[in-house]
Structure formats: C-alpha cells, structure tokens
Amino acid sequence: MEFVQQLINGISLGSIYALIALGYTMVYGIVKLINFAHGDVFMVGAFIGFYSISVFHLNFFLALLISMVACAIFGVVIERIAYKPLRNATRIAALITAIGVSLLIEYGTIYIRGAQIEAYPGNVIPDVTIKFFGVEVSSQSLFILGVSVLLMVCLQFIVHKTKIGKAMRAVSHDMDAARLMGINVDNTISATFAIGSALAGAAGVIFGMYYTSIDPLMGIIPGLKAFVAAVLGGIGIIPGAMVGGLVLGVIEALVSALGYSLWRDGVAFIVLILILIFRPSGLFGKNVREKV
Amino acid sequence: MLNIQNLNVYYGNIQALKGVSLEINEGEIVTLIGANGAGKSTLLKTISGLIKPKDGEILFEGQNIAGKVAQSIVKKGVSQVPEGRRVFANMTVEENLELGAFLRKDTKGIREDFEKVYNLFPRLQERRKQQAGTLSGGEQQMLAMGRALMARPRLLLLDEPSMGLAPLLVKTIFRIIQEINDTGTTILLVEQNANMALSVADRAYVIETGRIVLDGTSDELNQSDQIRTAYLGGH
Ligand SMILES: Nc1ncnc2c1ncn2[C@@H]1O[C@H](COP(=O)(O)OP(=O)(O)OP(=O)(O)O)[C@@H](O)[C@H]1O
Ligand SMILES: [Mg+2]
C-alpha cells in the first residue's frame, strides 16, 4: 500500500513537471528554442502566488489566476525583448540569450527581495488524509492532480478547437505557409509564450502550496526536470510533455519508495541520457506528428 | 489589376529579380515561365509579402502593396498556392481549409466556400477528416488550391501546380485552373511545363535569371522559335 501511495505522490509531482514541460515543448515547437528561462517564470509564478495569498489574503484560485495572468504577460515581455530580435539569428545565439535571461530573472529577484526562503501558508487548501481500500492519499495530492488535469484539458481545447490554437499549430509546422493564410506569426508566437508561461505560473503556485518553501533559485531543478520530461515525451509534442512529466514524476517516486531517495534528483538525468541514446525523438516522436 | 514596376529583390548581395515589370488584367490567366532558379518563386513570394523588395512597385488595384506584411496582402484579396504545396501535414483536410479562411468572419460565406471547394475537388470531401500529410501528392495539390480559394481571393498565385504529378492529373489540375478562372478569379500561374501553361493562359512572360526577357499572348509565344526550342521541347 505504501507503494500505491508513492505512486500517487509521483503522479502529483509529475503533473507539476508536465505543466512546466508544456511550456518548453510549445515554445520549442514554434520557434525551435529551448527557453531556459522557463523554470524562472515558474519561480516568479510561485512568488506571485505567495504574495497574493499571504499579503493580499486571496484564496487559492484567485492567487492561481493572478499568477497565471502575470506570468503570461511576463513571458510575452521576455519573448518580445529578448528572443524576437534574434528570430533569424543562429540557434546557439538564442540559446545563450535564454541562459542569460534565466540568470537575470534569478538574480534580479534576489536583488529585489533578497535570497531568503519563504514559507507558503500551509492552510491554503485543506490537507486531510483520505483513505480508500487501505490506501492513504493526501487531499492535496489529489487536488494538485485535479487542477493540473483541468489545465491540460483546457490547453488541449485551446490548441485543437480555437482559432489561435490552430494558428499555433500552423505556425509551428510551416511559418511561411501560415503567413500565406494571413496568420500574424508574431502574435501567434507571443500567444504561445503567454500560454506556456501561464501554465508555468500555475505550476509555481501549486508547487509552493505542496512543498511549502520557495526561493529565487527554486526554478532551476524543476525547470531542468521538466525539460527532461519534454525531451522524454518528444520535444515539440504536447501530449508527449504531459506523459513525459507524469512518467518522470512516477519514476522519481518509485526510486524514493525503493529506498534510494538520495538518487531522486539524479534519476531525471539518467533518464535524459538514456533517451538521448536510445530514443532521441522521445516516446511520442515519429508516430505522433503533432507539434506546437 | 496587378501592375509590377521595376521590381528589384535581393537575397543578401545576390540579386534575384532585376527590374521586373509585369501586368495582369482582371479576369486573365497570365503565366510566368522560366527555368530552375530563374526567380519565379521569388516573384510570387514578393507579391505575397514573404520577401521585401529593395525597390520597385507592386500595385494591386491601384494600391502599392510592395513590402507590406503578408497578412494585409491576403486581406486585400491575393492568395498563393506555394511551390511544393506546403499543406499543414499534421492537421486534417478540413482544418487546412479552415485556415485558408483565417481572416474571414462571414461564417455563412465560409460555409458556402467549403461547398464550392468540395464541389471542385470531390476527393477532398471524401478525405476531410484525414491528416493532410497522408494525402497523395495530387490530393495535396488540390488541398493547397482549395485552401487558397477559401480566402476568396480575387487574384490567385499558383507556383508550379503541376510539379511531380502524373500527366493525367496535370490535365485535371489545369482544367480546374480554367474553371477557377471562369468563376471570375484572376490567375498568375508559374510553370515550367510551358506547353500546358500556354494552353490555358491568355498571356505569358518569360523570365531568365531574374529578368523578364519576353512577353506576349500565348499564341505569340507558342509561335516563337526562341520559346519552342528553349521551353517547349520543339524544333
Ligand atoms: N532563401 C534564399 N536565399 C538565397 N538565395 C535564394 C533563396 N531563395 C532563392 N534563392 C536564389 O534566388 C534565385 C531564384 O530562386 P527562385 O526560387 O525564385 O527560382 P525559381 O524560378 O522559382 O526556380 P524553380 O523552378 O527551381 O522553383 C536562385 O538563384 C536561388 O538560388
Ligand atoms: Mg520556384
């Protein structure tokens, strides 16, 4: 039963990775850039949620919403200022810029508010232990899972059913052909950054609530792991990021359950190395050709 | 309808179009023929706003559209079927057609145009839920044409629609080009298949290494010895 509990914890954690991984994969799908500043947008989201709850006494859902909107705007600002001028530059130039933006956000945050750790209020949503069939699950784990799944369903709806979603798929497949349809490519790319960043913001608030402590460098490790999750699923493929995140979360939980919790953080990178060796296009590469 | 004056286009330092002038009247089919690398696609891309010219004018219904963004040119009524089809392979036939109507808001008109396109290409209707990437080359060409028509263009630019198709299919495609023109759409047709192109076109231009070297009615060009030896495989 211990095992099932760990599995459920793993799925909750994995759904947070998945939310972050979606931003990596969507941005990669459309501009072929690994946005290394994405983990820091997640961190900023966590702080915005924190201040909304602890300073402005808002409830969880309002805090989540505010964080998502603020991160969406933040993501677009980053794209317009840092990445858009480099759209025709080499990929390595854009990549180095992304690393620079990442450091700027991390140390900018430290400059503004200091490096001290902040504790998320613990009572944001009720934490009770639910028992069924002898398995004990925390209500928070289920809640995280529920919110993440809901956000992913919304994303699928946007990508497949709305005009902007169709524009995103078209641009990611063929930018010039999309232009010939009258699609505004710049706006579509910005929308992609906005949506990906909003999801990272949501992940930040959920993460803060679950793990309770946040700090300006908290985005680095989850950011890297979400990147691994995106590669695991097949970079550029939306369902791949979802599955990749969940698989990675479960693997980490199982490694802990087997008594190797010290290895937990290392496992993601072993996974990365293994995929790059055996299946560089990821689990969903090749057969599913859905890129955004 | 379209009046191009002295258009110069560069890729870096390489000049791809050298003082190109060309005119298309409303209702015409005009063909532009030339060998590989002559600059045909460059001209269409420049008209559509994918490439910005260094100088020169592109007047569409009296307005200069040279250097405007692609979006506004589509809005004005110029659509392009690009070389190599460029359908959205990961989307269904229906979604591709919807994207063709991206800038339109008249739901009713769009629905009518879906009907029109499906009438013109019954094959597309049969396959409307199929991923465009799984269509045959000919079907993709039909889809690319249908997609461009969904914008309800007044001027349609076609870049080598016969490329890579079997002779029978080429005939069908040219018949449909004629039909599209009969319903009032003006057409600029880029082709290497000069025989077929001259058979449907009213007038023709010949381009060589970025320069227009000859123009005239299709009949005139069909008679021209220079054209017969260079482009029609004649003697
Ligand atoms: N993106 C580019 N960068 C640099 N040069 C280019 C580019 N695109 C085309 N060219 C060059 O411009 C010239 C004209 O190319 P273009 O594609 O317009 O020819 P084309 O007449 O359409 O040929 P084809 O019949 O093979 O399609 C060629 O010499 C080509 O090498
Ligand atoms: Mg060409």
Side-chain angles (χ1 to χ4, degrees):
Chain A
M1 287 307 119
E2 165 75 21
F3 177 78
V4 179
Q5 274 153 236
Q6 288 288 357
L7 196 67
I8 291 170
N9 289 340
I11 293 174
S12 306
L13 175 63
S15 65
I16 296 178
Y17 291 155
L19 285 179
I20 312 174
L22 284 166
Y24 272 114
T25 230
M26 289 167 68
V27 163
Y28 183 85
I30 207 155
V31 284
K32 303 289 172 283
L33 165 74
I34 304 289
N35 178 16
F36 274 118
H38 191 59
D40 303 298
V41 174
F42 158 82
M43 174 275 290
V44 168
F47 272 97
I48 292 172
F50 169 77
Y51 291 123
S52 303
I53 293 168
S54 66
V55 178
F56 297 100
H57 304 290
L58 301 177
N59 69 32
F60 172 80
F61 286 103
L62 263 179
L64 187 76
L65 196 68
I66 289 174
S67 170
M68 287 177 74
V69 171
C71 284
I73 296 168
F74 188 43
V76 172
V77 169
I78 294 172
E79 187 265 330
R80 290 270 152 144
I81 294 176
Y83 302 145
K84 191 175 167 217
L86 295 173
R87 198 150 310 145
N88 298 317
T90 58
R91 278 162 92 172
I92 191 77
L95 196 66
I96 291 168
T97 305
I99 294 170
V101 172
S102 167
L103 293 170
L104 181 70
I105 299 172
E106 285 161 16
Y107 292 93
T109 308
I110 291 177
Y111 180 78
I112 293 168
R113 64 161 295 285
Q116 73 277 16
I117 294 174
E118 214 71 69
Y120 246 69
N123 54 352
V124 187
I125 55 158
D127 188 14
V128 293
T129 305
I130 303 166
K131 266 194 187 170
F132 43 74
F133 306 118
V135 181
E136 292 184 357
V137 190
S138 89
S139 58
Q140 285 196 344
S141 287
L142 291 180
F143 184 77
I144 287 177
L145 191 60
V147 172
S148 309
V149 168
L150 191 71
L151 288 171
M152 289 185 223
V153 170
C154 288
L155 177 69
Q156 283 296 49
F157 177 81
I158 292 174
V159 168
H160 287 276
K161 300 292 175 208
T162 67
K163 217 164 171 176
I164 186 69
K166 285 174 188 171
M168 282 161 56
R169 284 154 71 204
V171 172
S172 80
H173 187 263
D174 187 334
M175 229 177 244
D176 271 348
R179 283 198 178 94
L180 289 178
M181 304 298 107
I183 293 171
N184 184 326
V185 168
D186 287 340
N187 288 353
T188 307
I189 291 174
S190 292
T192 307
F193 272 86
I195 294 173
S197 303
L199 292 176
V205 179
I206 296 172
F207 183 94
M209 187 195 76
Y210 194 54
Y211 290 94
T212 65
S213 96
I214 61 171
D215 70 273
L217 301 182
M218 67 180 273
I220 299 174
I221 294 295
L224 282 174
K225 287 183 182 171
F227 168 65
V228 173
V231 175
L232 173 62
I235 189 96
I237 303 166
I238 284 186
M242 297 181 185
V243 173
L246 291 176
V247 169
L248 191 63
V250 169
I251 292 176
E252 284 193 0
L254 295 185
V255 168
S256 301
L258 293 173
Y260 300 101
S261 28
L262 285 178
W263 283 86
R264 230 184 68 158
D265 284 346
V267 144
F269 302 98
I270 296 173
V271 169
L272 179 63
I273 292 166
L274 292 179
I275 325 161
L276 291 180
I277 294 173
F278 294 108
R279 203 172 159 83
S281 58
L283 297 175
F284 283 58
K286 290 249 156 52
N287 28 12
V288 181
R289 297 222 0 114
E290 165 140 60
K291 310 189 309 170
V292 153
Chain B
M1 174 174 244
L2 189 78
N3 191 341
I4 299 178
Q5 291 295 335
N6 257 316
L7 196 65
N8 289 305
V9 175
Y10 288 77
Y11 292 111
N13 319 325
I14 302 164
Q15 188 167 10
L17 294 183
K18 301 165 186 160
V20 168
S21 297
L22 177 151
E23 203 180 342
I24 303 173
N25 302 311
E26 184 143 16
E28 278 187 315
I29 299 183
V30 171
T31 183
L32 175 68
I33 51 189
N36 289 112
K40 306 181 295 298
S41 300
T42 302
L43 179 61
L44 291 200
K45 285 179 189 166
T46 311
I47 297 172
S48 282
L50 297 180
I51 304 175
K52 295 208 186 315
K54 180 162 172 286
D55 48 42
E57 278 190 336
I58 305 174
L59 298 175
F60 178 66
E61 295 181 331
Q63 288 181 354
N64 192 2
I65 57 168
K68 289 243 159 61
V69 294
Q71 194 185 7
S72 71
I73 292 169
V74 177
K75 208 165 206 161
K76 285 192 164 55
V78 183
S79 284
Q80 183 181 153
V81 180
E83 181 176 318
R85 291 106 203 198
R86 309 278 284 266
V87 296
F88 300 108
N90 54 341
M91 299 169 94
T92 64
V93 167
E94 204 165 43
E95 287 174 323
N96 269 270
L97 293 176
E98 271 172 37
L99 281 168
F102 191 79
L103 289 175
R104 294 174 59 186
K105 300 210 160 58
D106 54 325
T107 326
K108 189 160 159 277
I110 293 174
R111 221 177 306 123
E112 285 168 16
D113 284 353
F114 260 105
E115 287 304 310
K116 277 190 198 156
V117 168
Y118 285 147
N119 277 330
L120 213 49
F121 307 104
R123 197 62 88 72
L124 294 182
Q125 181 157 33
E126 289 163 29
R127 295 171 188 252
R128 64 183 194 281
K129 297 288 174 201
Q130 194 172 320
Q131 299 271 302
T134 64
L135 298 176
S136 75
E139 289 161 351
Q140 290 191 14
Q141 185 60 49
M142 295 175 189
L143 179 57
M145 289 170 67
R147 187 179 65 175
L149 288 175
M150 288 302 293
R152 216 177 252 195
R154 273 168 301 136
L155 174 63
L156 181 64
L157 313 173
L158 293 158
D159 198 344
E160 301 201 34
S162 73
M163 190 168 69
L165 302 185
L168 201 64
L169 208 51
V170 173
K171 269 201 167 145
T172 312
I173 294 286
F174 274 86
R175 196 199 69 228
I176 291 169
I177 292 173
Q178 187 74 68
E179 273 177 44
I180 295 170
N181 179 244
D182 289 343
T183 60
T185 311
T186 310
I187 290 175
L188 174 55
L189 169 66
V190 160
E191 263 300 338
Q192 289 199 45
N193 188 339
N195 262 320
M196 284 303 278
L198 289 175
S199 75
V200 294
D202 301 300
R203 291 188 302 115
Y205 288 82
V206 178
I207 184 169
E208 268 173 24
T209 55
R211 228 183 277 279
I212 301 285
V213 292
L214 202 67
D215 71 89
T217 65
S218 297
D219 290 340
E220 283 166 9
L221 264 72
N222 258 323
Q223 316 278 306
S224 144
D225 287 343
Q226 193 187 343
I227 295 303
R228 295 182 70 82
T229 41
Y231 297 101
L232 299 176
H235 308 284

